[in-house]
Amino acid sequence: MEFKLPPAEAGTHAYTGWLAQAVDYPHVDWKGLGRLKILTCPGPALWLDRIQQYSQADSAVSLARRLSGQLGVGELVLRWTHGLTIAFNGEQVWSERYGVVRGRTWTMAPRVGSR
């Protein structure tokens, strides 16, 4: 899990650098563990929400969530009705209050090759 956020005034260069670093982690073969999914806190889309004032339904925010999820980067977010929540592709996989949700049907194994 990575707890880090580019400063608000850093611009897209710092944001994309931070996201690229997070995307690198799922491609590492961690000794004794293999390849792992990575969680960022706050998530990649939160920076866009905060800096550029996008709504939750905005395509740029949705794209950030979907693309980072496809690359093995999820989000640890606080949702007031669910508590701490793990989300991939913008969808809740696990939450503090409701446990495993979409995680029952999703594999956490890394995807390799053609999509």
Side-chain angles (χ1 to χ4, degrees), residues 53-73:
Q53 303 302 311
Y54 287 113
S55 71
Q56 291 292 327
D58 189 278
S59 61
V61 173
S62 296
L63 180 62
R65 285 191 174 108
R66 296 282 302 165
L67 185 57
S68 61
Q70 291 296 314
L71 295 171
V73 178

Side-chain angles (χ1 to χ4, degrees), residues 27-69:
H27 295 87
V28 171
D29 188 9
W30 300 97
K31 189 173 184 174
L33 299 172
R35 292 178 54 202
L36 303 171
K37 298 281 188 177
I38 300 299
L39 300 175
T40 60
C41 183
L46 182 68
W47 188 83
L48 291 172
D49 282 341
R50 191 180 88 177
I51 303 308
Q52 299 176 11
Q53 303 302 311
Y54 287 113
S55 71
Q56 291 292 327
D58 189 278
S59 61
V61 173
S62 296
L63 180 62
R65 285 191 174 108
R66 296 282 302 165
L67 185 57
S68 61

